[in-house]
Every structure is written in C-alpha cells, then in structure tokens.
Amino acid sequence: MKIGFIGVGNMGGALVSGIIKSKFLPASDVFIADYDVKKCDDLKSTYGVCVLNNIEEICINCNIIVLAVKPFDYKNVMLEIKEACNEDELKKKIIVSIAAGISMDYMEKIFMSSVKIVKTMPNTSAMVFEAMTGICRNNNVTEDELESVVKIFECVGKCKIISEKIMEVVPGISGSSPAYVYMFIEALADGAVLEGMKREDAYLFASQAVLGAAKMVLETGKHPGELKDMVCSPSGTTIEAVYSLERDNFRGAVMKALKVCTDKNRMMSNNK
C-alpha cells in the first residue's frame, strides 16, 4: 500500500501523523504534495514522509490517493488526476474523498471511468486522534480495499461504514458538531466566570466535564437520558438547570442546527 495525500492542511496533516505514529505504514510509503511548501517540509522533518512536487507524481507513486483539499478545489484536482493517469491506470487507484458536499456520483462524472471511490467524513478531532469518521464506497471498491481505507482512518479515531444516503447526516452530527461543542464549553466557562471563577479554571472544568460525559456514553452503553437522570436529584441543582435549558429550547436548537447543516450539505451536493 502506497498512500498519497493531495493537501496536508489540518485534516491531511492529522491523517499523516496518525498513520506514522500508529506504525500502520512506514514513512517511506506515505507521500504528500501541497502548494504550501512549509507544511510539507514540517511533515517531512517530523515524520520522514516523502514530499512530491505535484499531483502527477502522487499518481505515479500511489495506489490510494486522499483528496485532502477544500471542496471548491476538488474539481480541478480530479481533472489533474484524470490527466495524469490513463483510464487503465485510473481504474487501479482508490480515490478517497474527505470533503462535505462532494457526492460519489459527481466524482464519477468528472473521472468518466470505473474509478474506485471511497467517501469519508472525518472531523477535526483527528488532530488529537479522537475523530469520528463516516465511510461509504461505490460499487467498484472491494471489501478488502474498503477495509484498507477503514484502517487508515482508524489511525486517528473511530470509524463507521454507512450508506451514502446516511452520509448526508454525518457533517451535522460529527463533522461540524465539534464547533457546537466548543461553543457549549465556551458558554459554560463564561457562566462560571460570571459567577467568579478564573477563566483558565473555567475552561478546565467545562472541558473535562464534557470529555467525561462523552466517555460515560461510549463506555457504559447506557442511554444518554438514563445518564442524565442519574445526575438529576429531586429538587436539586441539576434538574433546575435542565428545566431552564428546556424552557429555552436547548434540544430543539441543537436539532435545528443539525438539520440546517444537513440541508446545506445536500444543497452543496446537488449544485455540483
């Protein structure tokens, strides 16, 4: 397996770091290309990965190509890949997408070939190896090839294979949701500062509380509602706070945020 990354920003760089730190592949089998020379040089000096000059060299050296660029750059990058490979060569490559709003149908139309496409949606928690990644494939990808891609993303967190239809929901529930959680942590901290706590202490208490609560859901297997009830004593402080959140439509606001994020993702896909 030879993996090439076109683009090594936050997500591409995190994946490179995870692959090397987990010893999934040696650095000699990881290739990167990016217009930002400094990012490439930093990853090369830190992990020893191979820096290539352009997309054509990525295509020559790699059988798995990760498109770690912004969605608006996808079309140009795909056209460069198509130009660099003849049709027979392209059929042997596995093209991995990590962008919201880019459907596999759109990618197939650009390549105009029986290309192997794996669509993924990780989140920025990959930078601390706690990402949640949704993964789906087109019909040209074999089970073994899909498993190879899954193992790449397991280097930076957890993965779940789902249908492309359900993939439309992933940006709202995990791809974008770290932003909502950061806002929640900030709001909790602001409230504590309002009540007299030092700012740095407030961020520590709020962040650790969120981390611990998420771990309880993942490790106990209990329903979030059951875990909430465990904290809410009769006539206590927690149920008073829960009552306040419900009066202000806390859950409805979160559900609406996920819906508008999902709608935006669908709109972006349909406009391609």
Side-chain angles (χ1 to χ4, degrees), residues 1 28 39 50 53 118 135 138 143 158 172 181 185 211 261:
M1 185 188 300
S28 58
K39 287 180 181 177
C50 308
N53 294 318
V118 178
I135 299 179
N138 71 0
E143 289 286 345
K158 298 182 185 300
V181 177
I185 290 171
L211 175 63
C261 185

Side-chain angles (χ1 to χ4, degrees), residues 74-257:
Y74 260 61
K75 183 175 181 179
N76 288 337
V77 168
M78 287 190 289
L79 288 173
E80 285 193 53
I81 292 172
K82 184 179 175 182
E83 186 176 343
C85 301
N86 64 44
E87 190 168 345
D88 287 338
E89 291 171 339
L90 191 55
K91 287 179 181 179
K92 298 174 184 176
K93 309 292 184 186
I94 302 172
I95 309 296
V96 180
S97 160
I98 68 168
I102 304 292
S103 69
M104 289 191 290
D105 180 64
Y106 172 71
M107 295 178 70
E108 288 169 352
K109 287 177 180 176
I110 294 291
F111 285 120
M112 295 179 66
S113 171
S114 303
V115 67
K116 301 173 187 287
I117 296 173
V118 178
K119 180 175 171 62
T120 73
M121 188 73 251
N123 59 23
T124 54
S125 299
M127 297 171 72
V128 292
F129 311 121
E130 290 292 351
M132 183 65 223
T133 303
I135 299 179
C136 63
R137 59 169 172 166
N138 71 0
N139 293 329
N140 302 318
V141 179
T142 68
E143 289 286 345
D144 287 344
E145 289 168 339
L146 180 63
E147 183 60 27
S148 295
V149 176
V150 167
K151 287 178 179 177
I152 294 169
F153 285 87
E154 285 179 339
C155 294
V156 293
K158 298 182 185 300
C159 300
K160 181 73 174 178
I161 298 171
I162 54 179
S163 69
E164 187 173 19
K165 179 66 176 176
I166 298 302
M167 185 71 83
E168 294 177 348
V169 185
V170 173
I173 195 167
S174 66
S176 300
S177 65
Y180 327 154
V181 177
Y182 300 144
M183 292 170 69
F184 178 61
I185 290 171
E186 186 179 30
L188 278 178
D190 283 346
V193 171
L194 180 65
E195 296 296 334
M197 183 177 279
K198 291 180 181 179
R199 173 67 64 180
E200 59 269 27
D201 290 344
Y203 283 133
L204 173 63
F205 275 83
S207 300
Q208 183 60 37
V210 170
L211 175 63
K215 198 169 184 179
M216 285 285 285
V217 174
L218 290 173
E219 295 191 3
T220 66
K222 294 182 182 295
H223 189 283
E226 182 181 355
L227 293 171
K228 178 211 69 181
D229 290 349
M230 289 167 56
V231 190
C232 294
S233 302
S235 300
T237 57
T238 306
I239 194 64
E240 193 74 29
V242 168
Y243 175 48
S244 176
L245 289 170
E246 293 288 21
R247 281 182 301 179
D248 291 335
N249 200 31
F250 176 70
R251 285 192 284 191
V254 173
M255 292 171 70
K256 183 177 180 181

